[in-house]
Amino acid sequence: MTSKISLRKMIRNEMRQNAWLPALVSAAALFLYPVCYLLLLQGTRRDAYNGMSKSEIARQNLHTVSAVLGRGNPLTIAAVLIAAVIAAGVMFSFLDSREKSDFYQSLALKREKAFLAHYLVGWLAAVVPYLAAVLISLFGIGAVYGNVTADAMRIAFSSAAMYILGFSAVYTFCVLAMVLAGRILVGVLLMICFLLYGPALCALLYGMTSVFFPSIGGTMTGAGMNIGFWLSPFTLLIRAAGFADTEGTAGSPALSLAVLAVYLAGAFLAAYLLYRRRPSEAAGNALSFPGMENILKAAVTVPASVGAGMMLGVLSGSGESGVSVPAVAVFTLLLAFIFNGILEFIIHVDLKSIRKHWRSLTAIMAVCAGVLVFFAADPFRIDCWLPAEDKIGAMAVYVPMSMDDFGSLIQQPDSYAREVLQDSFTENFEPIYREVRNYTEGQYSSDPENTTSVQVAFRMKNGRIHYRYYEIPASGAAAMLDSIGEDKAWREGYYPANHLDPSLYTDVSLESWLSGDYEQKGESLSGSENIRMLAACIRRDMNKMSYQELREETPLLLAYFENNGNDPDGIYTENQSFYIYPEFSETLQYLKQQGVDVDKLVKTGFSADQVVKIDLSVFEQDADGTGLYRNYTLTEKTQIAELLACTKPAKSSAWLAGTDEMPDASFTCQDGDYWTNLQITDQKQYDALLQSLKEQEDGNYAQE
Amino acid sequence: MIEVIQASKAFAGVEAVRDLTCRIRDGEVFGMVGTNGAGKSTLLRMLAGVLRPDSGEIRIDGEPVWENESAKSRICFISDTGYFPINATAESMTELYRVVYPGFDTERFEKLMGRFGLPKNQKIRTFSRGMKKQLSVLLGICAGTKYLFCDETFDGLDPVMRQAVKSIFATEMLDREFVPVVASHNLRELEDFCDHVGLLHQGGILFSENLSDLKMNMQKVQCVIRDPEAEKQLLADLDIVRLDRRGSMLTLVVRGDRDVILARVQSADPVFAEELPLTLEEIFITETEVAGYDIKNIIA
């Protein structure tokens, strides 16, 4: 009589033998969910006695559900990772022991069933306690505090589904790692590899591209890192939970979950098939399949060596791109030898195997060298790509520094540049093309003139759009913008006033363009209609002026658009500011109509008798090229007068037109505090003043 | 019946089993002997369906064993070190075996545990090596499978235990279909158990014979023949496998029937003639020397 083993009984038996695993998960889940939930709800109830309204309590309780049982709980993310690693390690640890392996594989149980039994036990050991804890929290503790609402259930169950899917994917990858390894330590290392390799490789490629192909790297901004999140189930779970920088996609985890499901299916199939084919004699060997060794060594050693070599090269060198290529090469090859040696030791537990496998080491070092040559020498001229002019339909350019001609320095999100580029394509792109050609032909590589970054978009005649990033001389950028800025259509796409959404703002502050402290708030406008009208006036007035006019003109006022608590999507809105120039007739008239005392706000310069103190910040470079900011405080009237005589207030974009030195200064005046960049009008006088300030300061130090 | 047909298995280029063919019949206790690295464990693990042969076939009762639940349900494999979960006791092992061997005889196991004096609820990790081996054997016997593969399980058992296990095997073989296959590197230990012995060396099978047939057809005689002519004639008449001479004392290993050989020796009018017991080791050495192998260096 033959008797086969029941899968159900096998699962029950394995669960009994590893009962400590679900017990451990239960203990952790109990603390993470019911206990934390109880403590937070208790806190809210205490606050209720202090006069919180019922709706506030309900909102707070819902927030508690979100914080503990919702998708934004960082402890759950950590718990998923830990549980997945432990469950996979425990349930498949038998693969590293010959005795255990022989026992299980001699049983009348097909490998598929054995795999399923161990897989399911690990999965159930984590998921069941988690679900139980969520249910206890929601329906047990929640009921006591009257917090079992439809919203609470929706949040809890949708998040639980997300985390179970995420855990399943991460756990399956960990199982796959254990199947591919014959020793627990190697299995755990493979787990780390699977979960972090994709994002780490992406970050490395992103870094290498940024350093060696800046024309591409500069356009990637955070995109490279974002792509990396998609390359591992764990980082994808982090993304789905809302912790990643998901610009433009915040609150939309559906795609992440779909990809997680694909990862789960793929990893499960791979683990299942590989387990079936796994040789039993692999127990105790580092890797289950001998053919993996070279692939693993290359896959790990090459990026690790190149990445670490780059980091060391950055720390040690100061080449043209901030990286010493010879240093990177030396470090990379040395690290390839070391990392390969470490892997050899982990796999073979014998240092002599390094000598034995010299061929694979040589191949790995050759690949490292090849990677470095590809990036550093750019044999395929990737960084110098430039299409033929007749193939281009239109071009657009974005010069971040130019935004300072429109308003005080405000950080724009990374997506802003892309938005401006897409709106400001011009067919009169000759000035842009000329600058790009000069860059790609290397005309700017040895010129130490001040440079500024520009992003360029090429819209080809076939409809494709390519983005590039360049560092070109500031004067060239200014000339280019002056030229294309004559075109009103271009201005309507480029000027930031055309990209402002007034509905996002609640208030506008108006003050002198020299005002250093926005808290002073000269005057303000509020009300959505006022804000909308003001924005429209500024837009029309701004579009009338050419870029050169804007650049050369001195503003009168600064209009500061603020968002004070109006976040319709829960997304933070960047504040915006715009200079109001003398030519903004429509805007100035509107302001006067709204009762704003424009004349009182206007301050275009300083007089020595009104200035009490100037704090001057000057960038100085030592003989060895090291630069640092040095601060001077001027309180004597003669010094103040001297400084005012040889400088004038300037927008920071003046640097774009080729101004070399631009100290910045904080003015303490009788009528308030101000801040501005200073443009030097008399270099000789300025240098003499600076010298006397230095001597004065050095003398003060000596006395002390 | 177990059939091994030209099975080979290599690990990292080293051939552990090389083109091996043999048959293990029902109703006999098969002993596998060989030195370390001969391929005994590898062969047993292939028979148990743990290792897949690189080439050749292994069949259990006519069915290939690899990934065959039906064939493997007839096997219980006890490896040399044995597997016990970390906090297992004999009782918990009973529960485990009941799941993985649905035919496990709990009652018989408890009786045998009592007979061997092994504690039921003490943690197995506190057992001595010998006790663990005893427990492994008892679990294997009570698993109720037709075939029991023991990999060096009896090595290190004391003679009393070995005798006890031998009698249990005999009982099992009488009561049901039971075919133990025992691997050892010690020929003397197998002599007590086995009906059929195979000698493995460097991955191949040198020798596989039924022990009774072997012993019946070979005799060892010590004698002194006064007359040199008569001695010469005697040596010519007998089918001598091995001859040792110390002065006039002859020690002969002779192939043939016992009574016939003794009668012939007596007919040579010996000063002295005596039949000596022939050990399995001597039979093996003799036979394999005939085959051309210097087996003395192989067997412990």
Side-chain angles (χ1 to χ4, degrees):
Chain A
M1 183 193 77
T2 62
S3 302
K4 295 177 194 171
I5 301 170
S6 149
L7 177 63
R8 199 164 43 91
K9 282 187 183 170
M10 193 71 193
I11 291 172
R12 248 208 326 260
N13 177 68
E14 285 296 314
M15 191 63 91
R16 204 165 38 228
Q17 280 197 29
N18 296 289
W20 65 271
L21 182 59
L24 180 69
V25 176
S26 298
L30 188 72
F31 174 75
L32 282 178
Y33 303 111
V35 168
C36 285
Y37 194 52
L38 175 67
L39 290 173
L40 287 174
L41 287 178
Q42 271 186 342
T44 305
R45 185 172 269 190
R46 257 200 311 276
D47 289 342
Y49 292 132
N50 295 334
M52 263 174 89
S53 68
K54 270 191 178 167
S55 61
E56 279 172 346
I57 293 168
R59 197 169 51 242
Q60 185 61 30
N61 282 346
L62 194 62
H63 177 75
T64 300
V65 173
S66 214
V68 177
L69 304 176
R71 67 182 176 107
N73 186 345
L75 293 177
T76 306
I77 302 266
V80 161
L81 179 65
I82 294 168
V85 169
I86 293 177
V90 165
M91 293 317 302
F92 288 87
S93 64
F94 72 92
L95 293 175
D96 93 325
S97 156
R98 189 179 129 162
E99 294 79 38
K100 284 188 211 171
S101 207
D102 283 355
F103 175 78
Y104 282 108
Q105 284 167 1
S106 69
L107 299 178
L109 192 68
K110 278 197 179 262
R111 284 191 167 207
E112 298 92 86
K113 279 191 199 167
F115 174 81
L116 279 173
H118 285 101
Y119 180 90
L120 284 171
V121 170
W123 189 84
L124 289 168
V127 168
V128 170
Y130 164 70
L131 268 180
V134 168
L135 290 171
I136 289 170
S137 306
L138 191 60
F139 294 114
I141 294 165
V144 170
Y145 287 86
N147 200 33
V148 184
T149 62
D151 282 338
M153 284 195 282
R154 180 183 49 80
I155 290 170
F157 288 135
S158 64
S159 304
M162 183 194 81
Y163 278 119
I164 289 171
L165 175 60
F167 166 79
S168 303
V170 175
Y171 169 67
T172 308
F173 267 81
C174 293
V175 167
L176 177 60
M178 290 300 290
V179 169
L180 290 172
R183 280 186 235 141
I184 293 181
L185 171 65
V186 176
V188 172
L189 292 174
L190 273 180
M191 286 182 203
I192 295 171
C193 213
F194 281 152
L195 297 179
L196 297 179
Y197 190 83
L201 186 65
C202 212
L204 173 66
L205 286 173
Y206 173 62
M208 300 278 291
T209 304
S210 297
V211 170
F212 292 110
F213 301 152
S215 68
I216 298 172
T219 63
M220 289 164 66
T221 58
M225 304 305 286
N226 278 340
I227 292 171
F229 274 104
W230 294 89
L231 300 180
S232 152
F234 182 59
T235 51
L236 206 48
L237 178 63
I238 292 175
R239 190 181 191 282
F243 288 103
D245 176 15
T246 54
E247 225 179 79
T249 60
S252 172
L255 186 56
S256 304
L257 296 177
V259 175
L260 263 178
V262 171
Y263 272 138
L264 168 61
F268 184 85
L269 191 63
Y272 178 82
L273 293 173
L274 287 169
Y275 183 87
R276 282 179 63 185
R277 298 185 66 84
R278 187 178 185 275
S280 308
E281 56 267 32
N285 295 342
L287 301 170
S288 302
F289 301 93
M292 278 176 63
E293 183 180 333
N294 286 336
I295 297 170
L296 188 68
K297 281 195 302 195
V300 172
T301 305
V302 170
S305 314
V306 170
M310 277 287 296
M311 276 198 321
L312 290 172
V314 164
L315 289 172
S316 69
S318 57
E320 200 174 278
S321 51
V323 170
S324 164
V325 174
V328 169
V330 167
F331 286 132
T332 297
L333 293 176
L334 186 62
L335 287 167
F337 179 80
I338 293 170
F339 290 153
N340 182 73
I342 292 171
L343 279 176
E344 283 281 351
F345 186 77
I346 290 172
I347 293 170
H348 298 286
V349 199
D350 183 6
L351 285 174
K352 287 183 201 152
S353 64
I354 299 172
R355 198 169 57 186
K356 198 171 146 196
H357 298 130
W358 64 269
R359 282 193 194 86
S360 63
L361 172 62
T362 309
I364 285 167
M365 290 173 94
V367 172
C368 289
V371 168
L372 289 177
V373 165
F374 175 79
F375 278 97
D378 192 12
F380 301 104
R381 294 184 59 75
I382 293 171
D383 196 43
C384 301
W385 173 83
L386 180 67
E389 216 169 330
D390 58 357
K391 289 200 163 64
I392 302 172
M395 288 178 75
V397 67
Y398 174 71
V399 182
M401 184 57 86
S402 72
M403 291 295 122
D404 294 337
D405 282 312
F406 304 101
S408 188
L409 275 172
I410 298 285
Q411 290 294 328
Q412 296 288 1
D414 292 336
S415 59
Y416 183 76
R418 201 53 71 92
E419 190 185 320
V420 169
L421 286 170
Q422 282 165 359
D423 287 348
S424 61
F425 275 108
T426 175
E427 289 173 7
N428 302 320
F429 54 77
E430 171 53 34
I432 307 173
Y433 191 86
R434 191 173 49 241
E435 289 299 322
V436 172
R437 190 179 53 219
N438 288 344
Y439 174 92
T440 57
E441 288 174 357
Q443 289 187 30
Y444 296 146
S445 57
S446 56
D447 188 345
E449 184 195 330
N450 289 339
T451 59
T452 190
S453 62
V454 303
Q455 289 196 41
V456 172
F458 299 81
R459 191 169 67 201
M460 311 304 287
K461 285 182 176 162
N462 62 16
R464 292 186 73 172
I465 299 177
H466 301 279
Y467 297 94
R468 289 295 185 270
Y469 169 101
Y470 304 102
E471 282 280 336
I472 63 173
S475 55
M480 172 180 65
L481 290 177
D482 285 350
S483 179
I484 58 178
E486 295 294 330
D487 177 4
K488 188 164 185 249
W490 178 83
R491 298 200 295 261
E492 286 171 355
Y494 189 83
Y495 285 359
N498 298 289
H499 295 274
L500 181 77
D501 180 357
S503 67
L504 295 177
Y505 300 94
T506 57
D507 300 276
V508 179
S509 299
L510 294 149
E511 45 215 73
S512 162
W513 78 282
L514 294 171
S515 181
D517 182 1
Y518 293 125
E519 292 303 316
Q520 280 184 193
K521 289 195 166 50
E523 294 209 28
S524 64
L525 278 182
S526 55
S528 56
E529 187 54 25
N530 284 337
I531 293 170
R532 192 185 64 78
M533 288 293 294
L534 179 63
C537 290
I538 292 174
R539 187 177 69 246
R540 284 192 289 269
D541 281 334
M542 192 182 280
N543 287 341
K544 276 188 243 163
M545 292 179 70
S546 70
Y547 178 76
Q548 187 169 6
E549 285 170 336
L550 279 171
R551 185 168 59 74
E552 290 173 351
E553 186 59 81
T554 302
L556 294 175
L557 301 176
L558 187 75
Y560 189 66
F561 287 73
E562 291 177 284
N563 182 315
N564 290 319
N566 183 18
D567 294 329
D569 301 320
I571 302 168
Y572 173 70
T573 303
E574 299 282 357
N575 295 335
Q576 296 281 347
S577 70
F578 296 101
Y579 290 132
I580 296 172
Y581 288 90
E583 287 81 357
F584 282 23
S585 53
E586 199 180 329
T587 305
L588 290 168
Q589 190 177 352
Y590 179 77
L591 287 175
K592 283 174 185 163
Q593 279 171 0
Q594 299 305 311
V596 174
D597 190 347
V598 172
D599 296 326
K600 189 177 159 199
L601 292 176
V602 168
K603 190 178 182 69
T604 55
F606 303 96
S607 60
D609 54 348
Q610 284 203 317
V611 176
V612 175
K613 183 179 76 164
I614 302 175
D615 290 304
L616 191 67
S617 181
V618 179
F619 184 76
E620 292 177 0
Q621 250 179 338
D622 292 341
D624 61 0
T626 317
L628 58 105
Y629 279 93
R630 210 164 160 172
N631 300 316
Y632 303 99
T633 301
L634 289 71
T635 51
E636 292 177 21
K637 287 291 180 192
T638 46
Q639 287 179 331
I640 290 171
E642 269 186 59
L643 182 66
L644 292 176
C646 61
T647 61
K648 68 174 185 181
K651 296 175 285 189
S652 51
S653 58
W655 184 80
L656 194 64
T659 304
D660 215 356
E661 239 180 292
M662 283 193 64
D664 58 65
S666 298
F667 289 78
T668 305
C669 299
Q670 288 167 359
D671 59 349
D673 294 337
Y674 298 90
W675 178 91
T676 182
N677 290 113
L678 294 177
Q679 189 171 0
I680 300 166
T681 52
D682 186 334
Q683 189 69 49
K684 209 167 159 187
Q685 190 178 2
Y686 174 78
D687 289 341
L689 173 62
L690 212 58
Q691 184 61 31
S692 75
L693 287 171
K694 267 189 210 162
E695 285 164 6
Q696 183 180 328
E697 203 169 278
D698 293 343
N700 290 342
Y701 275 132
Q703 274 182 358
E704 282 166 15
Chain B
M1 181 167 67
I2 298 174
E3 289 173 287
V4 181
I5 305 160
Q6 292 183 308
S8 297
K9 183 71 183 173
F11 302 116
V14 175
E15 276 193 305
V17 170
R18 184 173 22 113
D19 221 21
L20 193 147
T21 298
C22 73
R23 205 168 272 166
I24 298 169
R25 290 181 178 78
D26 291 354
E28 63 184 22
V29 181
F30 190 92
M32 224 181 270
V33 69
T35 53
N36 299 329
K40 306 185 296 299
S41 292
T42 304
L43 178 59
L44 269 186
R45 290 163 83 206
M46 287 201 290
L47 296 182
V50 171
L51 295 176
R52 187 175 195 174
D54 296 334
S55 62
E57 266 190 275
I58 293 176
R59 292 178 169 273
I60 305 276
D61 295 341
E63 294 180 57
V65 71
W66 178 254
E67 284 289 281
N68 185 336
E69 284 178 319
S70 171
K72 287 170 88 169
S73 66
R74 297 177 207 133
I75 295 164
C76 178
F77 174 61
I78 305 172
S79 67
D80 48 355
T81 42
Y83 165 60
F84 302 107
I86 191 157
N87 282 323
T89 60
E91 185 151 0
S92 64
M93 287 306 294
T94 312
E95 288 166 19
L96 171 62
Y97 268 63
R98 271 213 299 263
V99 171
V100 298
Y101 296 105
F104 188 81
D105 189 345
T106 312
E107 203 181 313
R108 180 147 169 70
F109 178 71
E110 283 174 1
K111 268 194 198 140
L112 288 172
M113 286 284 288
R115 187 171 146 188
F116 279 75
L118 291 173
K120 229 169 56 162
N121 293 313
Q122 184 179 322
K123 292 215 190 317
I124 296 171
R125 64 169 187 262
T126 63
F127 283 16
S128 69
R129 191 161 162 262
M131 288 167 75
K132 284 181 187 171
K133 290 208 173 203
Q134 288 172 30
L135 179 62
S136 295
V137 171
L138 297 185
L139 285 167
I141 290 169
C142 296
T145 55
K146 180 179 174 185
Y147 298 99
L148 177 65
F149 299 151
C150 303
D151 189 1
E152 300 199 7
T153 314
F154 297 94
D155 294 4
L157 279 185
D158 59 62
V160 172
M161 284 303 142
R162 279 214 302 279
Q163 201 55 36
V165 171
K166 185 185 172 189
S167 75
I168 295 171
F169 274 12
T171 311
E172 290 294 311
M173 289 172 77
L174 281 173
D175 290 346
R176 61 179 178 96
E177 270 193 302
F178 182 59
V179 181
V181 178
V182 181
S184 176
H185 59 261
N186 195 320
L187 200 54
R188 290 187 202 99
E189 288 194 355
L190 285 184
E191 200 168 351
D192 289 336
F193 286 102
C194 301
D195 305 316
H196 196 112
V197 177
L199 174 65
L200 270 73
H201 181 58
Q202 289 182 350
I205 196 154
L206 279 188
F207 194 89
S208 179
E209 277 285 350
N210 185 285
L211 270 183
S212 340
D213 292 345
L214 210 55
K215 285 186 176 176
M216 219 159 37
N217 291 333
M218 204 170 286
Q219 320 301 329
K220 186 175 179 183
V221 176
Q222 204 171 52
C223 60
V224 174
I225 310 293
R226 205 196 317 267
D227 180 4
E229 278 299 320
E231 183 190 293
K232 198 173 162 185
Q233 191 58 46
L234 177 68
L235 293 176
D237 288 345
L238 292 173
D239 180 4
I240 294 176
V241 180
R242 199 156 131 206
L243 166 65
D244 288 321
R245 183 192 287 276
R246 282 193 193 166
S248 55
M249 177 81 82
L250 295 174
T251 305
L252 307 169
V253 177
V254 183
R255 212 189 296 277
D257 182 75
R258 177 181 174 273
D259 294 335
V260 168
I261 290 164
L262 286 175
R264 182 61 189 88
V265 169
Q266 288 297 334
S267 71
D269 194 23
V271 171
F272 162 79
E274 187 183 37
E275 185 193 1
L276 297 177
L278 195 59
T279 66
L280 187 57
E281 190 174 313
E282 285 173 317
I283 295 172
F284 262 66
I285 290 170
T286 309
E287 287 286 358
T288 50
E289 275 177 352
V290 167
Y293 292 94
D294 186 2
I295 204 69
K296 283 196 287 293
N297 290 330
I298 297 172
I299 295 176

